[in-house]
Short mmCIF file of all heavy atoms in Angstrom, two decimals:
data_model
loop_
_atom_site.label_atom_id
_atom_site.label_comp_id
_atom_site.label_asym_id
_atom_site.label_seq_id
_atom_site.Cartn_x
_atom_site.Cartn_y
_atom_site.Cartn_z
N LYS A 214 -1.27 -6.43 16.04
CA LYS A 214 -2.66 -6.43 16.32
C LYS A 214 -3.13 -5.18 17.02
O LYS A 214 -4.27 -4.83 17.06
CB LYS A 214 -3.05 -7.61 17.36
CG LYS A 214 -2.72 -8.99 16.64
CD LYS A 214 -3.67 -9.21 15.45
CE LYS A 214 -3.41 -10.56 14.82
NZ LYS A 214 -4.26 -10.86 13.69
N THR A 215 -2.11 -4.43 17.55
CA THR A 215 -2.52 -3.09 18.31
C THR A 215 -1.98 -1.90 17.63
O THR A 215 -2.31 -0.83 18.03
CB THR A 215 -2.06 -3.19 19.75
OG1 THR A 215 -0.59 -3.49 19.76
CG2 THR A 215 -2.78 -4.45 20.45
N LEU A 216 -1.08 -2.09 16.70
CA LEU A 216 -0.49 -0.95 16.06
C LEU A 216 -1.57 -0.08 15.23
O LEU A 216 -2.48 -0.71 14.69
CB LEU A 216 0.58 -1.33 15.05
CG LEU A 216 1.87 -1.78 15.65
CD1 LEU A 216 2.84 -2.22 14.50
CD2 LEU A 216 2.62 -0.56 16.41
N LYS A 217 -1.52 1.22 15.32
CA LYS A 217 -2.47 2.04 14.60
C LYS A 217 -2.23 1.93 13.07
O LYS A 217 -3.09 2.05 12.34
CB LYS A 217 -2.38 3.44 15.05
CG LYS A 217 -2.81 3.68 16.51
CD LYS A 217 -2.74 5.07 16.98
CE LYS A 217 -3.16 5.26 18.44
NZ LYS A 217 -3.14 6.73 18.78
N ARG A 218 -0.96 1.69 12.73
CA ARG A 218 -0.63 1.68 11.34
C ARG A 218 0.15 0.39 11.09
O ARG A 218 1.09 0.06 11.81
CB ARG A 218 0.14 2.88 10.93
CG ARG A 218 0.45 3.03 9.44
CD ARG A 218 1.01 4.34 9.16
NE ARG A 218 1.19 4.61 7.72
CZ ARG A 218 1.53 5.82 7.25
NH1 ARG A 218 1.90 6.84 8.01
NH2 ARG A 218 1.68 5.94 5.96
N ARG A 219 -0.10 -0.39 10.05
CA ARG A 219 0.56 -1.62 9.79
C ARG A 219 2.02 -1.38 9.50
O ARG A 219 2.39 -0.43 8.66
CB ARG A 219 -0.08 -2.35 8.56
CG ARG A 219 0.33 -3.75 8.35
CD ARG A 219 -0.67 -4.61 7.71
NE ARG A 219 -1.80 -4.85 8.48
CZ ARG A 219 -2.91 -5.65 8.07
NH1 ARG A 219 -2.87 -6.06 6.83
NH2 ARG A 219 -3.90 -5.88 8.87
N PRO A 220 2.92 -2.21 10.09
CA PRO A 220 4.35 -1.84 9.90
C PRO A 220 4.89 -2.09 8.51
O PRO A 220 4.31 -2.93 7.70
CB PRO A 220 5.10 -2.77 10.91
CG PRO A 220 4.07 -3.93 11.07
CD PRO A 220 2.72 -3.29 10.90
N LYS A 221 5.93 -1.39 8.16
CA LYS A 221 6.51 -1.43 6.81
C LYS A 221 6.94 -2.86 6.39
O LYS A 221 6.82 -3.38 5.28
CB LYS A 221 7.66 -0.48 6.70
CG LYS A 221 8.32 -0.43 5.25
CD LYS A 221 9.21 0.76 5.18
CE LYS A 221 10.37 0.75 6.18
NZ LYS A 221 11.37 1.85 5.91
N TYR A 222 7.60 -3.56 7.49
CA TYR A 222 8.07 -4.94 7.15
C TYR A 222 6.92 -5.88 6.71
O TYR A 222 7.21 -6.91 6.10
CB TYR A 222 8.94 -5.42 8.26
CG TYR A 222 8.30 -5.48 9.65
CD1 TYR A 222 7.39 -6.46 10.03
CD2 TYR A 222 8.60 -4.57 10.69
CE1 TYR A 222 6.85 -6.52 11.29
CE2 TYR A 222 8.11 -4.60 11.87
CZ TYR A 222 7.18 -5.55 12.22
OH TYR A 222 6.67 -5.65 13.46
N TRP A 223 5.67 -5.66 7.22
CA TRP A 223 4.57 -6.56 6.78
C TRP A 223 4.39 -6.39 5.25
O TRP A 223 4.26 -7.48 4.61
CB TRP A 223 3.33 -6.12 7.51
CG TRP A 223 2.17 -7.17 7.22
CD1 TRP A 223 1.86 -8.31 7.93
CD2 TRP A 223 1.22 -7.01 6.12
NE1 TRP A 223 0.76 -8.84 7.30
CE2 TRP A 223 0.32 -8.12 6.24
CE3 TRP A 223 0.93 -6.13 5.11
CZ2 TRP A 223 -0.67 -8.34 5.33
CZ3 TRP A 223 -0.03 -6.29 4.19
CH2 TRP A 223 -0.87 -7.38 4.36
N PHE A 224 4.32 -5.24 4.75
CA PHE A 224 4.11 -5.05 3.34
C PHE A 224 5.27 -5.49 2.58
O PHE A 224 5.08 -6.10 1.42
CB PHE A 224 3.88 -3.44 3.03
CG PHE A 224 2.69 -2.94 3.64
CD1 PHE A 224 2.66 -2.23 4.84
CD2 PHE A 224 1.40 -3.10 3.00
CE1 PHE A 224 1.51 -1.70 5.39
CE2 PHE A 224 0.32 -2.49 3.50
CZ PHE A 224 0.30 -1.89 4.70
N GLN A 225 6.49 -5.34 3.04
CA GLN A 225 7.64 -5.86 2.31
C GLN A 225 7.67 -7.30 2.26
O GLN A 225 8.12 -7.96 1.31
CB GLN A 225 8.93 -5.29 3.09
CG GLN A 225 9.16 -3.91 2.91
CD GLN A 225 10.34 -3.32 3.66
OE1 GLN A 225 10.99 -4.05 4.46
NE2 GLN A 225 10.81 -2.07 3.43
N ALA A 226 7.31 -7.99 3.28
CA ALA A 226 7.23 -9.38 3.37
C ALA A 226 6.31 -9.99 2.36
O ALA A 226 6.41 -10.93 1.65
CB ALA A 226 6.91 -9.96 4.84
N ARG A 227 4.94 -9.34 2.35
CA ARG A 227 3.98 -9.80 1.33
C ARG A 227 4.56 -9.60 -0.08
O ARG A 227 4.36 -10.51 -0.92
CB ARG A 227 2.79 -8.89 1.55
CG ARG A 227 1.64 -9.16 0.56
CD ARG A 227 0.49 -8.17 0.70
NE ARG A 227 -0.49 -8.29 -0.32
CZ ARG A 227 -0.35 -7.73 -1.57
NH1 ARG A 227 0.75 -7.09 -1.92
NH2 ARG A 227 -1.39 -7.93 -2.53
N ARG A 228 5.11 -8.51 -0.34
CA ARG A 228 5.66 -8.24 -1.63
C ARG A 228 6.75 -9.25 -2.04
O ARG A 228 6.74 -9.87 -3.17
CB ARG A 228 6.20 -6.83 -1.75
CG ARG A 228 6.92 -6.52 -3.02
CD ARG A 228 7.57 -5.08 -2.88
NE ARG A 228 8.23 -4.70 -4.12
CZ ARG A 228 9.45 -5.15 -4.49
NH1 ARG A 228 10.09 -5.98 -3.59
NH2 ARG A 228 9.97 -4.73 -5.62
N ARG A 229 7.63 -9.57 -1.07
CA ARG A 229 8.66 -10.55 -1.32
C ARG A 229 8.15 -12.00 -1.69
O ARG A 229 8.50 -12.65 -2.50
CB ARG A 229 9.68 -10.67 -0.10
CG ARG A 229 10.75 -11.80 -0.23
CD ARG A 229 11.71 -11.76 0.94
NE ARG A 229 12.62 -12.85 0.72
CZ ARG A 229 13.75 -12.80 -0.01
NH1 ARG A 229 14.05 -11.70 -0.58
NH2 ARG A 229 14.54 -13.83 0.04
N PHE A 230 7.06 -12.34 -0.84
CA PHE A 230 6.39 -13.64 -1.03
C PHE A 230 5.94 -13.88 -2.41
O PHE A 230 6.23 -14.92 -3.10
CB PHE A 230 5.33 -13.88 -0.09
CG PHE A 230 4.60 -15.16 -0.38
CD1 PHE A 230 5.06 -16.37 -0.01
CD2 PHE A 230 3.32 -15.06 -0.91
CE1 PHE A 230 4.35 -17.45 -0.30
CE2 PHE A 230 2.55 -16.12 -1.23
CZ PHE A 230 3.09 -17.42 -0.87
N PHE A 231 5.20 -12.93 -2.89
CA PHE A 231 4.54 -13.06 -4.25
C PHE A 231 5.54 -12.92 -5.41
O PHE A 231 5.53 -13.78 -6.26
CB PHE A 231 3.44 -12.04 -4.45
CG PHE A 231 2.18 -12.41 -3.79
CD1 PHE A 231 1.67 -11.62 -2.65
CD2 PHE A 231 1.47 -13.47 -4.09
CE1 PHE A 231 0.56 -11.97 -2.00
CE2 PHE A 231 0.27 -13.80 -3.44
CZ PHE A 231 -0.18 -13.06 -2.44
N LEU A 232 6.48 -12.05 -5.29
CA LEU A 232 7.53 -11.89 -6.38
C LEU A 232 8.41 -13.11 -6.39
O LEU A 232 8.77 -13.67 -7.39
CB LEU A 232 8.38 -10.69 -6.15
CG LEU A 232 7.74 -9.33 -6.58
CD1 LEU A 232 8.61 -8.15 -6.21
CD2 LEU A 232 7.51 -9.36 -8.12
N LYS A 233 8.89 -13.63 -5.18
CA LYS A 233 9.73 -14.70 -5.16
C LYS A 233 9.17 -15.98 -5.72
O LYS A 233 9.74 -16.77 -6.39
CB LYS A 233 10.20 -14.94 -3.73
CG LYS A 233 10.97 -16.28 -3.48
CD LYS A 233 11.13 -16.50 -1.88
CE LYS A 233 11.80 -17.86 -1.69
NZ LYS A 233 11.85 -18.17 -0.29
N ASN A 234 7.80 -16.21 -5.30
CA ASN A 234 7.15 -17.50 -5.64
C ASN A 234 6.37 -17.52 -6.94
O ASN A 234 6.18 -18.57 -7.47
CB ASN A 234 6.40 -17.94 -4.43
CG ASN A 234 7.17 -18.30 -3.33
OD1 ASN A 234 7.83 -19.30 -3.28
ND2 ASN A 234 7.04 -17.55 -2.20
N TYR A 235 5.89 -16.42 -7.36
CA TYR A 235 5.00 -16.30 -8.57
C TYR A 235 5.44 -15.42 -9.67
O TYR A 235 4.75 -15.42 -10.79
CB TYR A 235 3.54 -15.89 -7.99
CG TYR A 235 2.93 -16.85 -7.03
CD1 TYR A 235 2.84 -16.53 -5.70
CD2 TYR A 235 2.59 -18.15 -7.44
CE1 TYR A 235 2.24 -17.44 -4.79
CE2 TYR A 235 1.97 -19.07 -6.58
CZ TYR A 235 1.93 -18.65 -5.20
OH TYR A 235 1.37 -19.61 -4.29
N GLY A 236 6.34 -14.63 -9.43
CA GLY A 236 6.90 -13.74 -10.60
C GLY A 236 6.13 -12.37 -10.59
O GLY A 236 5.23 -12.04 -9.87
N ALA A 237 6.63 -11.55 -11.54
CA ALA A 237 6.26 -10.18 -11.68
C ALA A 237 4.90 -9.92 -12.07
O ALA A 237 4.15 -9.23 -11.53
CB ALA A 237 7.24 -9.40 -12.56
N LEU A 238 4.45 -10.62 -13.18
CA LEU A 238 3.08 -10.45 -13.66
C LEU A 238 2.06 -10.78 -12.71
O LEU A 238 1.13 -10.09 -12.47
CB LEU A 238 2.98 -11.29 -15.00
CG LEU A 238 1.57 -11.23 -15.62
CD1 LEU A 238 1.16 -9.75 -15.94
CD2 LEU A 238 1.43 -12.22 -16.88
N TYR A 239 2.25 -11.99 -12.06
CA TYR A 239 1.21 -12.43 -11.13
C TYR A 239 1.14 -11.45 -9.91
O TYR A 239 0.09 -11.10 -9.38
CB TYR A 239 1.51 -13.87 -10.57
CG TYR A 239 0.37 -14.46 -9.84
CD1 TYR A 239 -0.65 -15.12 -10.53
CD2 TYR A 239 0.31 -14.43 -8.45
CE1 TYR A 239 -1.76 -15.70 -9.81
CE2 TYR A 239 -0.75 -15.04 -7.76
CZ TYR A 239 -1.72 -15.65 -8.55
OH TYR A 239 -2.79 -16.20 -7.78
N THR A 240 2.26 -11.01 -9.39
CA THR A 240 2.37 -10.06 -8.25
C THR A 240 1.61 -8.74 -8.67
O THR A 240 0.95 -8.15 -7.85
CB THR A 240 3.73 -9.82 -7.86
OG1 THR A 240 4.41 -11.03 -7.60
CG2 THR A 240 3.73 -8.93 -6.62
N MET A 241 1.78 -8.35 -9.93
CA MET A 241 1.17 -7.11 -10.36
C MET A 241 -0.40 -7.32 -10.35
O MET A 241 -1.10 -6.42 -9.78
CB MET A 241 1.56 -6.78 -11.81
CG MET A 241 0.93 -5.47 -12.30
SD MET A 241 1.68 -5.03 -13.89
CE MET A 241 1.13 -6.38 -14.95
N LEU A 242 -0.90 -8.45 -10.76
CA LEU A 242 -2.33 -8.74 -10.64
C LEU A 242 -2.83 -8.88 -9.30
O LEU A 242 -3.89 -8.36 -8.93
CB LEU A 242 -2.70 -10.05 -11.39
CG LEU A 242 -2.35 -10.00 -12.98
CD1 LEU A 242 -2.61 -11.36 -13.57
CD2 LEU A 242 -3.16 -8.98 -13.63
N VAL A 243 -1.96 -9.47 -8.33
CA VAL A 243 -2.39 -9.54 -6.95
C VAL A 243 -2.47 -8.12 -6.32
O VAL A 243 -3.51 -7.91 -5.61
CB VAL A 243 -1.37 -10.44 -6.22
CG1 VAL A 243 -1.48 -10.25 -4.72
CG2 VAL A 243 -1.52 -11.90 -6.59
#
């Protein structure tokens, strides 16, 4: 909430969630 730049692990977690649960095509659209 206070970091000037969002941490790398936040983006990696988001990416993992969509790929793991919805697959490549849906993640690309997201």
Side-chain angles (χ1 to χ4, degrees):
K214 297 296 181 181
T215 57
L216 284 175
K217 294 181 178 180
R218 190 171 185 175
R219 189 157 290 180
K221 182 167 63 174
Y222 55 78
W223 185 91
F224 294 97
Q225 292 178 348
R227 176 188 174 278
R228 178 185 179 279
R229 176 179 176 84
F230 169 76
F231 282 113
L232 280 174
K233 171 189 172 184
N234 291 295
Y235 298 109
L238 176 60
Y239 193 84
T240 305
M241 183 173 65
L242 295 174
V243 164

